[in-house]
Amino acid sequence: MTRHPCHGLTKEAVAAFERIAVNDPPGASVQTLQTLLDGGLIERMGMGTLHRAQVYAVPLRHHMAWCAWCDGNIPDGDAP
């Protein structure tokens, strides 16, 4: 079984990672975002043009690992 890329992190960190993975705003504290940045799980992509807020992305290798985790753990139709 594939482990979630955020295995061992807080529920808030996992939720923020998953929101970023689907291109939603992270909705997380600065500390949580810094934890994800420090772990290389997300990266800064610059400022958004519409709301001038920091935009984040999940690096491809972590996105692929998360997709593999979802495939084995999330029933069809229940994706985050």
Side-chain angles (χ1 to χ4, degrees):
M1 179 188 301
T2 303
R3 285 175 34 163
H4 193 287
C6 297
H7 178 79
L9 296 181
T10 66
K11 289 181 183 181
E12 182 185 10
V14 172
F17 172 89
E18 291 180 349
R19 284 190 294 268
I20 294 167
V22 297
N23 294 320
D24 282 344
S29 69
V30 171
Q31 180 180 356
T32 295
L33 293 172
Q34 192 61 54
T35 297
L36 293 169
L37 287 164
D38 291 346
L41 294 164
I42 63 171
E43 54 192 18
R44 287 185 178 96
M45 300 304 291
M47 299 299 282
T49 56
L50 182 59
H51 298 291
R52 300 299 301 155
Q54 180 66 55
V55 176
Y56 298 92
V58 173
L60 183 59
R61 72 177 196 269
H62 294 306
H63 193 91
M64 290 175 64
W66 176 66
C67 289
W69 179 87
C70 287
D71 187 49
N73 291 279
I74 306 294
D76 290 343
D78 292 340

